[in-house]
Amino acid sequence: MAYDHQEQEQLDSFKAFWSQYGNIIIWVLILALGSYAGWNYWKTHQRNKSVEASALYDELQTSLLANDNAKVQRVAGDIRAKYESSAYATMAALAAAKTAFEANDLKTAKTHLQWAAEHGNDEYKSIANLRLAGVLLDEKAFDEALKVLNGKFLPQFTSEVNDRKGDVLVAQNKLNEARAAYVAAIAAMDPNAPGRQLVQIKLEAIGGTVPADKKSEAAAEQKAAA
């Protein structure tokens, strides 16, 4: 088929362009397609890992219900070894710490909690450190427990942290500081919080006074004025 002069010029221009940039375009396409294939493979791999980790975590939950500490420890170890970067690993560490603590294996409980505090998100770190302080309290490692409690916690754990500080300070016979910690715990609690009464009992047991609720104070003032 014959080309007219304009078409021949366009064809020659394209040939020149392709001669200069063709290899680059081909390699860019190869890299783009390779990246897309790699991304799809990674997503599929991650999805499969998540399903596998979930199945193992279900097995751990069954072992928890059966109160089988040995199996909980084994499954938690498998999850951590195979799926360390998943949330399941942190949740498994917290669960394994609980069963180890109940089995009076404080060393194992502490190991799990320390790992969770280092690898979990901010919420899991707060939970792990709060429980770790409790283990250290049982070990009579009071200064170490206070060091953990003076670390970083999410705001919603303020009452629990101060409550635990009070427990440690009572164990050290630092009653003035313990009273202040319990008062701070109560101040951070919702008035209807289930644990509030227990903290009040602990505060009163060491000679402290539960601070009057602001609403109660206002009502008392109104009654007195009337």
Side-chain angles (χ1 to χ4, degrees), residues 113-154:
L113 292 171
Q114 287 170 333
W115 188 90
E118 291 172 2
H119 294 84
N121 61 21
D122 288 344
E123 183 174 4
Y124 286 138
K125 285 178 181 177
S126 294
I127 294 170
N129 279 322
L130 189 60
R131 294 180 183 177
L132 176 60
V135 174
L136 293 169
L137 173 58
D138 278 10
E139 288 185 329
K140 302 187 187 308
F142 305 131
D143 290 338
E144 194 175 347
L146 287 174
K147 183 178 179 180
V148 171
L149 292 168
N150 286 326
K152 185 179 178 181
F153 287 84
L154 290 176

Short mmCIF file of all heavy atoms in Angstrom, two decimals, residues 113-154:
data_model
loop_
_atom_site.label_atom_id
_atom_site.label_comp_id
_atom_site.label_asym_id
_atom_site.label_seq_id
_atom_site.Cartn_x
_atom_site.Cartn_y
_atom_site.Cartn_z
N LEU A 113 4.77 -10.28 78.12
CA LEU A 113 4.32 -8.90 78.27
C LEU A 113 5.37 -7.91 77.76
O LEU A 113 5.02 -6.89 77.14
CB LEU A 113 3.97 -8.61 79.72
CG LEU A 113 2.74 -9.36 80.24
CD1 LEU A 113 2.60 -9.19 81.76
CD2 LEU A 113 1.47 -8.87 79.54
N GLN A 114 6.61 -8.19 78.01
CA GLN A 114 7.67 -7.32 77.51
C GLN A 114 7.69 -7.32 75.99
O GLN A 114 7.88 -6.27 75.36
CB GLN A 114 9.03 -7.76 78.07
CG GLN A 114 9.20 -7.44 79.55
CD GLN A 114 10.43 -8.09 80.16
OE1 GLN A 114 10.89 -9.14 79.70
NE2 GLN A 114 10.96 -7.47 81.21
N TRP A 115 7.48 -8.49 75.39
CA TRP A 115 7.44 -8.57 73.92
C TRP A 115 6.25 -7.78 73.38
O TRP A 115 6.39 -7.02 72.42
CB TRP A 115 7.34 -10.02 73.49
CG TRP A 115 7.50 -10.19 72.00
CD1 TRP A 115 8.65 -10.38 71.31
CD2 TRP A 115 6.45 -10.12 71.02
NE1 TRP A 115 8.39 -10.45 69.96
CE2 TRP A 115 7.06 -10.29 69.75
CE3 TRP A 115 5.07 -9.93 71.09
CZ2 TRP A 115 6.32 -10.28 68.57
CZ3 TRP A 115 4.33 -9.92 69.91
CH2 TRP A 115 4.94 -10.10 68.67
N ALA A 116 5.09 -7.95 74.00
CA ALA A 116 3.89 -7.23 73.54
C ALA A 116 4.07 -5.73 73.69
O ALA A 116 3.63 -4.94 72.83
CB ALA A 116 2.67 -7.69 74.34
N ALA A 117 4.74 -5.30 74.76
CA ALA A 117 4.97 -3.87 74.99
C ALA A 117 5.93 -3.28 73.95
O ALA A 117 5.87 -2.09 73.65
CB ALA A 117 5.53 -3.65 76.39
N GLU A 118 6.77 -4.11 73.39
CA GLU A 118 7.73 -3.63 72.40
C GLU A 118 7.18 -3.69 70.98
O GLU A 118 7.60 -2.91 70.11
CB GLU A 118 9.02 -4.48 72.47
CG GLU A 118 9.82 -4.26 73.74
CD GLU A 118 10.97 -5.25 73.87
OE1 GLU A 118 11.16 -6.07 72.94
OE2 GLU A 118 11.66 -5.23 74.90
N HIS A 119 6.25 -4.61 70.72
CA HIS A 119 5.81 -4.85 69.34
C HIS A 119 4.36 -4.46 69.05
O HIS A 119 3.98 -4.40 67.88
CB HIS A 119 6.01 -6.32 68.99
CG HIS A 119 7.44 -6.76 68.96
ND1 HIS A 119 8.12 -7.13 70.11
CD2 HIS A 119 8.33 -6.87 67.95
CE1 HIS A 119 9.36 -7.46 69.78
NE2 HIS A 119 9.52 -7.31 68.49
N GLY A 120 3.55 -4.23 70.07
CA GLY A 120 2.14 -3.94 69.83
C GLY A 120 1.90 -2.49 69.44
O GLY A 120 2.82 -1.66 69.45
N ASN A 121 0.65 -2.19 69.09
CA ASN A 121 0.29 -0.79 68.85
C ASN A 121 0.16 -0.07 70.20
O ASN A 121 0.38 -0.67 71.24
CB ASN A 121 -1.00 -0.69 68.03
CG ASN A 121 -2.20 -1.31 68.73
OD1 ASN A 121 -2.21 -1.48 69.95
ND2 ASN A 121 -3.22 -1.65 67.97
N ASP A 122 -0.20 1.20 70.18
CA ASP A 122 -0.20 1.99 71.42
C ASP A 122 -1.15 1.40 72.47
O ASP A 122 -0.86 1.42 73.67
CB ASP A 122 -0.58 3.44 71.13
CG ASP A 122 0.53 4.19 70.42
OD1 ASP A 122 1.68 3.69 70.44
OD2 ASP A 122 0.27 5.26 69.85
N GLU A 123 -2.30 0.91 72.02
CA GLU A 123 -3.27 0.35 72.98
C GLU A 123 -2.73 -0.93 73.60
O GLU A 123 -2.78 -1.11 74.83
CB GLU A 123 -4.60 0.07 72.30
CG GLU A 123 -5.66 -0.45 73.26
CD GLU A 123 -7.03 -0.58 72.63
OE1 GLU A 123 -7.16 -0.34 71.41
OE2 GLU A 123 -7.97 -0.92 73.37
N TYR A 124 -2.20 -1.83 72.77
CA TYR A 124 -1.65 -3.08 73.30
C TYR A 124 -0.42 -2.82 74.17
O TYR A 124 -0.19 -3.53 75.16
CB TYR A 124 -1.29 -4.03 72.16
CG TYR A 124 -2.48 -4.67 71.49
CD1 TYR A 124 -2.56 -4.81 70.11
CD2 TYR A 124 -3.55 -5.15 72.25
CE1 TYR A 124 -3.66 -5.41 69.50
CE2 TYR A 124 -4.65 -5.74 71.66
CZ TYR A 124 -4.70 -5.86 70.28
OH TYR A 124 -5.79 -6.45 69.69
N LYS A 125 0.37 -1.82 73.81
CA LYS A 125 1.53 -1.47 74.64
C LYS A 125 1.08 -1.03 76.03
O LYS A 125 1.68 -1.41 77.04
CB LYS A 125 2.34 -0.35 73.97
CG LYS A 125 3.16 -0.80 72.78
CD LYS A 125 3.89 0.38 72.16
CE LYS A 125 4.71 -0.08 70.95
NZ LYS A 125 5.38 1.05 70.28
N SER A 126 0.02 -0.22 76.06
CA SER A 126 -0.50 0.25 77.35
C SER A 126 -1.00 -0.92 78.19
O SER A 126 -0.71 -1.01 79.40
CB SER A 126 -1.63 1.26 77.12
OG SER A 126 -1.15 2.43 76.50
N ILE A 127 -1.75 -1.81 77.57
CA ILE A 127 -2.26 -2.99 78.29
C ILE A 127 -1.12 -3.85 78.80
O ILE A 127 -1.10 -4.28 79.96
CB ILE A 127 -3.19 -3.80 77.38
CG1 ILE A 127 -4.46 -3.01 77.04
CG2 ILE A 127 -3.57 -5.14 78.04
CD1 ILE A 127 -5.32 -3.63 75.96
N ALA A 128 -0.15 -4.11 77.92
CA ALA A 128 0.98 -4.98 78.28
C ALA A 128 1.79 -4.38 79.44
O ALA A 128 2.15 -5.08 80.39
CB ALA A 128 1.88 -5.20 77.08
N ASN A 129 2.06 -3.08 79.37
CA ASN A 129 2.85 -2.45 80.44
C ASN A 129 2.10 -2.40 81.76
O ASN A 129 2.69 -2.54 82.83
CB ASN A 129 3.28 -1.05 80.01
CG ASN A 129 4.50 -1.07 79.11
OD1 ASN A 129 5.41 -1.86 79.30
ND2 ASN A 129 4.52 -0.19 78.12
N LEU A 130 0.80 -2.21 81.70
CA LEU A 130 -0.01 -2.20 82.92
C LEU A 130 0.04 -3.58 83.59
O LEU A 130 0.23 -3.69 84.81
CB LEU A 130 -1.45 -1.82 82.58
CG LEU A 130 -2.40 -1.54 83.74
CD1 LEU A 130 -1.89 -0.39 84.59
CD2 LEU A 130 -3.79 -1.23 83.22
N ARG A 131 -0.10 -4.62 82.79
CA ARG A 131 -0.04 -5.98 83.34
C ARG A 131 1.38 -6.34 83.77
O ARG A 131 1.57 -7.05 84.76
CB ARG A 131 -0.54 -6.98 82.29
CG ARG A 131 -2.02 -6.80 81.97
CD ARG A 131 -2.50 -7.79 80.92
NE ARG A 131 -3.91 -7.56 80.58
CZ ARG A 131 -4.57 -8.24 79.65
NH1 ARG A 131 -3.96 -9.20 78.97
NH2 ARG A 131 -5.84 -7.97 79.40
N LEU A 132 2.37 -5.85 83.02
CA LEU A 132 3.76 -6.10 83.40
C LEU A 132 4.06 -5.51 84.77
O LEU A 132 4.74 -6.13 85.60
CB LEU A 132 4.69 -5.51 82.35
CG LEU A 132 6.19 -5.61 82.62
CD1 LEU A 132 6.63 -7.06 82.76
CD2 LEU A 132 6.98 -4.92 81.49
N ALA A 133 3.54 -4.32 85.03
CA ALA A 133 3.74 -3.70 86.35
C ALA A 133 3.14 -4.57 87.44
O ALA A 133 3.70 -4.66 88.55
CB ALA A 133 3.13 -2.31 86.37
N GLY A 134 2.01 -5.22 87.15
CA GLY A 134 1.40 -6.12 88.12
C GLY A 134 2.27 -7.33 88.41
O GLY A 134 2.39 -7.76 89.56
N VAL A 135 2.89 -7.88 87.37
CA VAL A 135 3.81 -9.02 87.55
C VAL A 135 5.01 -8.58 88.37
O VAL A 135 5.46 -9.30 89.29
CB VAL A 135 4.25 -9.59 86.20
CG1 VAL A 135 5.30 -10.68 86.39
CG2 VAL A 135 3.06 -10.15 85.43
N LEU A 136 5.56 -7.42 88.06
CA LEU A 136 6.72 -6.92 88.80
C LEU A 136 6.37 -6.65 90.26
O LEU A 136 7.19 -6.86 91.16
CB LEU A 136 7.24 -5.64 88.14
CG LEU A 136 7.85 -5.82 86.75
CD1 LEU A 136 8.07 -4.48 86.07
CD2 LEU A 136 9.17 -6.59 86.84
N LEU A 137 5.14 -6.22 90.50
CA LEU A 137 4.67 -6.04 91.88
C LEU A 137 4.68 -7.37 92.62
O LEU A 137 5.13 -7.45 93.77
CB LEU A 137 3.26 -5.44 91.87
CG LEU A 137 2.53 -5.33 93.21
CD1 LEU A 137 3.33 -4.49 94.21
CD2 LEU A 137 1.14 -4.74 93.01
N ASP A 138 4.20 -8.42 91.96
CA ASP A 138 4.20 -9.74 92.59
C ASP A 138 5.62 -10.24 92.83
O ASP A 138 5.86 -11.01 93.77
CB ASP A 138 3.44 -10.74 91.70
CG ASP A 138 1.94 -10.65 91.89
OD1 ASP A 138 1.49 -9.70 92.55
OD2 ASP A 138 1.22 -11.52 91.38
N GLU A 139 6.55 -9.83 91.98
CA GLU A 139 7.95 -10.22 92.15
C GLU A 139 8.67 -9.33 93.17
O GLU A 139 9.86 -9.53 93.43
CB GLU A 139 8.69 -10.13 90.82
CG GLU A 139 8.32 -11.20 89.82
CD GLU A 139 9.18 -11.14 88.56
OE1 GLU A 139 9.62 -10.03 88.19
OE2 GLU A 139 9.41 -12.20 87.97
N LYS A 140 7.93 -8.33 93.69
CA LYS A 140 8.50 -7.36 94.64
C LYS A 140 9.58 -6.49 94.00
O LYS A 140 10.45 -5.95 94.69
CB LYS A 140 9.03 -8.05 95.90
CG LYS A 140 7.98 -8.86 96.64
CD LYS A 140 8.48 -9.37 97.97
CE LYS A 140 7.49 -10.32 98.63
NZ LYS A 140 6.13 -9.77 98.74
N ALA A 141 9.51 -6.36 92.67
CA ALA A 141 10.43 -5.47 91.96
C ALA A 141 9.74 -4.10 91.86
O ALA A 141 9.33 -3.65 90.79
CB ALA A 141 10.74 -6.03 90.58
N PHE A 142 9.62 -3.45 93.01
CA PHE A 142 8.80 -2.25 93.12
C PHE A 142 9.31 -1.07 92.29
O PHE A 142 8.53 -0.40 91.60
CB PHE A 142 8.66 -1.83 94.59
CG PHE A 142 8.15 -2.92 95.48
CD1 PHE A 142 8.79 -3.22 96.67
CD2 PHE A 142 7.02 -3.64 95.13
CE1 PHE A 142 8.30 -4.23 97.51
CE2 PHE A 142 6.52 -4.64 95.95
CZ PHE A 142 7.17 -4.94 97.14
N ASP A 143 10.60 -0.82 92.35
CA ASP A 143 11.16 0.31 91.59
C ASP A 143 10.99 0.10 90.09
O ASP A 143 10.69 1.03 89.34
CB ASP A 143 12.64 0.50 91.93
CG ASP A 143 12.85 1.03 93.35
OD1 ASP A 143 11.90 1.63 93.89
OD2 ASP A 143 13.94 0.83 93.90
N GLU A 144 11.18 -1.14 89.67
CA GLU A 144 11.02 -1.46 88.24
C GLU A 144 9.56 -1.30 87.82
O GLU A 144 9.26 -0.81 86.73
CB GLU A 144 11.51 -2.88 87.97
CG GLU A 144 11.69 -3.19 86.49
CD GLU A 144 12.28 -4.57 86.25
OE1 GLU A 144 12.78 -5.19 87.22
OE2 GLU A 144 12.22 -5.03 85.10
N ALA A 145 8.65 -1.69 88.70
CA ALA A 145 7.22 -1.55 88.40
C ALA A 145 6.85 -0.08 88.26
O ALA A 145 6.12 0.31 87.32
CB ALA A 145 6.39 -2.19 89.51
N LEU A 146 7.36 0.76 89.15
CA LEU A 146 7.07 2.20 89.07
C LEU A 146 7.67 2.82 87.81
O LEU A 146 7.09 3.72 87.20
CB LEU A 146 7.59 2.92 90.31
CG LEU A 146 6.80 2.69 91.60
CD1 LEU A 146 7.50 3.34 92.78
CD2 LEU A 146 5.37 3.21 91.46
N LYS A 147 8.84 2.32 87.42
CA LYS A 147 9.47 2.81 86.19
C LYS A 147 8.58 2.53 84.99
O LYS A 147 8.40 3.39 84.11
CB LYS A 147 10.84 2.16 86.01
CG LYS A 147 11.59 2.67 84.80
CD LYS A 147 12.96 2.00 84.71
CE LYS A 147 13.72 2.50 83.46
NZ LYS A 147 15.05 1.85 83.34
N VAL A 148 7.99 1.33 84.95
CA VAL A 148 7.08 0.98 83.86
C VAL A 148 5.85 1.88 83.90
O VAL A 148 5.39 2.40 82.87
CB VAL A 148 6.67 -0.51 83.95
CG1 VAL A 148 5.55 -0.83 82.97
CG2 VAL A 148 7.87 -1.41 83.68
N LEU A 149 5.30 2.07 85.09
CA LEU A 149 4.08 2.87 85.24
C LEU A 149 4.30 4.35 84.95
O LEU A 149 3.34 5.07 84.63
CB LEU A 149 3.50 2.68 86.65
CG LEU A 149 2.96 1.28 86.94
CD1 LEU A 149 2.69 1.12 88.44
CD2 LEU A 149 1.70 1.01 86.13
N ASN A 150 5.52 4.81 85.06
CA ASN A 150 5.83 6.20 84.75
C ASN A 150 6.13 6.41 83.27
O ASN A 150 6.47 7.52 82.84
CB ASN A 150 7.01 6.68 85.59
CG ASN A 150 6.61 6.92 87.03
OD1 ASN A 150 5.50 7.34 87.32
ND2 ASN A 150 7.52 6.65 87.96
N GLY A 151 5.99 5.35 82.48
CA GLY A 151 6.20 5.44 81.05
C GLY A 151 4.99 6.00 80.33
O GLY A 151 4.08 6.58 80.95
N LYS A 152 4.95 5.81 79.03
CA LYS A 152 3.89 6.39 78.21
C LYS A 152 2.69 5.46 78.14
O LYS A 152 2.81 4.27 77.84
CB LYS A 152 4.42 6.64 76.79
CG LYS A 152 3.43 7.34 75.88
CD LYS A 152 4.05 7.58 74.50
CE LYS A 152 3.05 8.24 73.57
NZ LYS A 152 3.63 8.47 72.21
N PHE A 153 1.50 6.01 78.44
CA PHE A 153 0.24 5.27 78.36
C PHE A 153 -0.79 6.12 77.63
O PHE A 153 -0.72 7.36 77.68
CB PHE A 153 -0.29 4.92 79.75
CG PHE A 153 0.46 3.83 80.46
CD1 PHE A 153 1.61 4.12 81.18
CD2 PHE A 153 0.02 2.52 80.41
CE1 PHE A 153 2.31 3.12 81.84
CE2 PHE A 153 0.70 1.51 81.07
CZ PHE A 153 1.85 1.81 81.78
N LEU A 154 -1.73 5.48 76.99
CA LEU A 154 -2.83 6.22 76.38
C LEU A 154 -3.68 6.84 77.49
O LEU A 154 -3.78 6.30 78.59
CB LEU A 154 -3.69 5.29 75.53
CG LEU A 154 -3.05 4.77 74.24
CD1 LEU A 154 -3.97 3.77 73.55
CD2 LEU A 154 -2.70 5.92 73.30
#
